[in-house]
Amino acid sequence: MKRRGQAAETVMRTVQQHSAGHLADVDMARLREIASDFCRVKNSVYDRYGGIRSIGKLDPGYAVLQEMTASGLRERWGIPSVYFQLAILEALSDLRGYWNRIRGHVRESTFRREGFTEADRHYLNFLLRVDLLFIELLTGEPADLRESYRLQQQELAAPVNRKSLENWLRRQVRKQCRRLHADQADTFAVDSRGYRYLDGAIEFASKEKRKRIRVPLTDTNVYDRQLRVRLHPEDNTLTILVPVKVRQHVHADWKRTVGLAIGLHVMITTHEGHVYGAEIDRYQGEYAAWLREANRIYAKNRVDNPGRKKYRAKKHRFEEALHSYINRELNRLLAEEKPAKICLPKLQGMKPESKSREKNWGVSVWQRGYLMERLLQKCREQSVEATLVPGRAIGMTCSRCGQPGERKDGVFTCTSCGLTLPERQNAAKNAYQRGDGQSDTSEAEETRQNHGSEQATSSG
Ligand SMILES: [Zn+2]
């Protein structure tokens, strides 16, 4: 991230292109076929290379690309090579993210677990940190490791019960293992080998040779990079997501550090008690109530399922409304607070692989991920430094004296020094203090990358 006073740098952001009018049913059907092939290829990579034994093959992944190409799947399924390859690359990157998350979870449990000595933790974290050692541990195949690492490993292993620690680690990893599966079939990636812009339209390569699928667009912008296409079969439209470089805005008069607390009922509270997104609860509540009702009706009529077109269209509208509200409030936050730096706690308890999206109670939970993503993106664009601070007990600790206090009806009361503050503001003050003087954007970067390919969505 850029430092003040230097020339503005560029950051990536996602812009959208939209189809004009409604596509013919036959064209939408052909596009959906591409999307479902794309998903099929990804699942095939997950199935073949998602296991522990393949972990060494994922980075950089040439072997996988070669093996998949040689497998004859592409020819059998009749998939244009551009989609086939991009699906493989995407699945590989998902798998890498998946293993990184598992490593992160296991690292956390080494800290949580009582009975470990410092030496135990050191050794475990060394195994988790060094890619080749981690792979060796899981696959049992000796890694081609540099001598210095081997020596360091022996040194760290000397004071511990090596075997039992390594077994513990393997068990922890196995406990976290899930099967990755892509079931959202209405999206695919394509690069310039598979599309061209022509006369206000984009044309996609299709499964039939030399028969492109023509989609008129609402703008005449032309791009040359990898695009993500999202289909909306409910109304025969599509959205194209384009990653573009934009110049960072530099605000010379933004000088403050602002501590933030992110909440479920109020989006954001600052350390000074300013509130943004106070209406989020209403938006989420309406959405969740509708989802609950819609799913109840759906469960009842499952036998003669009338088609979920209307359902999906409405769900889409709810999400759009929610997201545009979130973006509006984030813009207002930056414009009014004028921060040079924000400090906020890391998100905790977010399991990206969980299916909470589908569940009613999950509405508010997964919106937090979206909120975080957008906040960090906007910070990058406005050259605001974002520091993620440790979130441990951040709401229960007194921001004046550091002692534990009590929370009741949204108010924090310190039993030691008598401080009384709105609970969220106390948490935001703690974030402010934990982040002050700290300069660490790498965590923010990590969070962004861990969101993976499916989080490319963006607006406002
Ligand atoms: Zn206190």
Side-chain angles (χ1 to χ4, degrees), residues 97-122:
Y98 161 80
W99 283 112
N100 282 339
R101 284 196 299 274
I102 288 183
R103 269 152 84 159
H105 286 305
V106 176
R107 189 172 298 132
E108 271 170 39
S109 27
T110 65
F111 290 114
R112 270 204 310 274
R113 168 145 172 139
E114 287 167 32
F116 275 164
T117 63
E118 272 308 291
D120 289 342
R121 293 203 174 93
H122 268 141

Side-chain angles (χ1 to χ4, degrees), residues 398 400-403 414 416-419:
C398 175
R400 187 160 70 195
C401 73
Q403 291 301 307
C414 178
S416 304
C417 77
L419 175 77

